[in-house]
């Protein structure tokens, strides 16, 4: 990857569980060449760690507002992240 690298932690709220949001997120992240993970939270939200080229991370954040069919996103909270990032993009439990 070229250009600035960036990692963010994102919390997505709304109707995002029970609609394959994690599987969709993994697919979109892989298409963009991103690494990280995504997981469901007990409060009904979804959290993801997304890392890669700055432009790809920005594109992914925009896509998170859409989500898969059936999703209804009400909020996307973003914070810059640091630390270990997996070499792939995985769904974690």
């Amino acid at each position: 990857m070229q250009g600035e690298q960036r990692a963010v932690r994102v919390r997505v709220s709304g109707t995002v569980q029970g609609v394959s949001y994690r599987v969709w997120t993994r697919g979109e992240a892989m298409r963009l060449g991103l690494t990280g993970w995504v997981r469901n939270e007990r409060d009904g939200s979804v959290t993801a760690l997304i890392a890669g080229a700055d432009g790809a991370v920005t594109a992914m954040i925009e896509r998170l507002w859409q989500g898969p069919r059936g999703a209804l996103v009400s909020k996307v909270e973003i914070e810059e992240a640091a630390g270990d990032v997996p070499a792939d993009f995985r769904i974690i439990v």
Side-chain angles (χ1 to χ4, degrees):
M1 284 185 242
Q2 295 179 344
E4 287 288 315
Q5 297 293 300
R6 180 179 180 200
V8 295
R9 184 176 297 255
V10 182
R11 185 178 199 90
V12 184
S13 302
T15 304
V16 292
Q17 290 190 17
V19 294
S20 298
Y21 200 93
R22 292 176 301 161
V23 172
W24 175 87
T25 299
R26 182 176 182 265
E28 293 298 308
M30 290 174 65
R31 275 188 271 290
L32 290 168
L34 298 168
T35 61
W37 51 259
V38 61
R39 70 174 178 225
N40 283 342
E41 300 295 345
R42 290 185 180 198
D43 66 359
S45 66
V46 169
T47 300
L49 175 66
I50 300 165
D54 184 46
V57 171
T58 298
M60 186 66 195
I61 291 167
E62 292 171 5
R63 292 179 189 191
L64 291 173
W65 277 101
Q66 179 69 36
R69 181 186 306 214
L72 182 57
V73 176
S74 61
K75 187 192 291 187
V76 176
E77 300 170 273
I78 305 150
E79 65 181 45
E80 298 300 316
D84 293 334
V85 177
D88 58 0
F89 199 95
R90 51 185 78 156
I91 296 171
I92 59 175
V93 190

